[in-house]
Amino acid sequence: TYRVMLNEGSTAQPWCPPGIHGVEDLTLVTSGKNLLQPVSGMDEYDLSGVQVTRENNTFSFHGTATKPGGRTIYFSKALLSQGKYTFGKFDAAPNVMVHLSEVSTGTNLYNTTGQTVFELTEAKEVGLGFNLVQGETSDYDGIRIQLERGEARTDYEPASVTQTPIDLQGHSLH
């Protein structure tokens, strides 16, 4: 039997089957001021008759909603680790509800017309969407939305995410 293994450095290492072995607890630390990362190609969208535009991760809404509700279209996404988060919008737009949904299932997790604090018991990738009120006209520019770690809402800043790499015996995992 022949086994081929590629390893780093100039010293041969004992055979190790492919994959990561012996890891008991692997965590991802996500931190930053505003954790919502813009999704490319989603700078303009028609949502039930309302034109939604995004510039520098701030949103504008113009038009009248032709049907109730909305959809999760993932204008922005975030990979969140276990912990508490504050989520909400900074500007008055009473008939625009923002929501976070779990990307893998589409399950709606949190809705707010202002701000909310929530806790995740496990890591999740979440996406940002909007719900609108049928028949209501929206004429809003520069709506700023922020998702940050912790229970206190702080002043708005554009998206900024740091994901801490995890070192496994000299190998970086990002």
Side-chain angles (χ1 to χ4, degrees):
T1 302
Y2 293 97
R3 296 182 181 123
V4 177
M5 183 174 83
L6 179 65
N7 39 279
E8 297 175 280
S10 58
T11 306
Q13 301 292 319
W15 167 253
C16 179
I20 299 174
H21 301 278
V23 177
E24 291 182 20
D25 187 23
L26 185 64
T27 59
L28 170 70
V29 177
T30 303
S31 61
K33 176 67 173 192
N34 190 347
L35 301 174
L36 290 169
Q37 289 293 302
V39 174
S40 64
M42 293 304 300
D43 294 328
E44 293 185 20
Y45 194 84
D46 184 287
L47 182 62
S48 301
V50 175
Q51 186 66 30
V52 180
T53 56
R54 177 187 68 202
E55 185 175 337
N56 296 327
N57 223 21
T58 62
F59 296 88
S60 298
F61 300 85
H62 296 282
T64 302
T66 56
K67 54 186 173 182
R71 5 185 330 209
T72 301
I73 49 179
Y74 305 137
F75 283 98
S76 302
K77 291 183 182 179
L79 179 59
L80 305 179
S81 56
Q82 178 180 339
K84 290 189 178 183
Y85 295 87
T86 301
F87 167 64
K89 61 184 178 178
F90 275 75
D91 307 282
N95 58 331
V96 176
M97 177 178 286
V98 294
H99 64 88
L100 288 177
S101 296
E102 187 173 359
V103 171
S104 64
T105 64
T107 304
N108 193 357
L109 299 172
Y110 305 100
N111 295 305
T112 186
T113 55
Q115 80 169 32
T116 188
V117 174
F118 64 91
E119 184 170 7
L120 291 178
T121 57
E122 61 184 5
K124 293 184 186 292
E125 183 180 24
V126 298
L128 170 70
F130 302 101
N131 287 326
L132 304 170
V133 178
Q134 182 177 11
E136 293 283 329
T137 299
S138 297
D139 190 21
Y140 308 113
D141 287 311
I143 304 300
R144 300 165 299 160
I145 298 167
Q146 184 157 290
L147 172 63
E148 59 188 307
R149 193 166 177 89
E151 298 179 60
R153 178 169 139 168
T154 60
D155 292 338
Y156 176 82
E157 287 182 18
S160 171
V161 176
T162 301
Q163 293 182 353
T164 304
I166 300 165
D167 188 87
L168 298 174
Q169 299 170 353
H171 302 279
S172 290
L173 177 64
H174 297 274

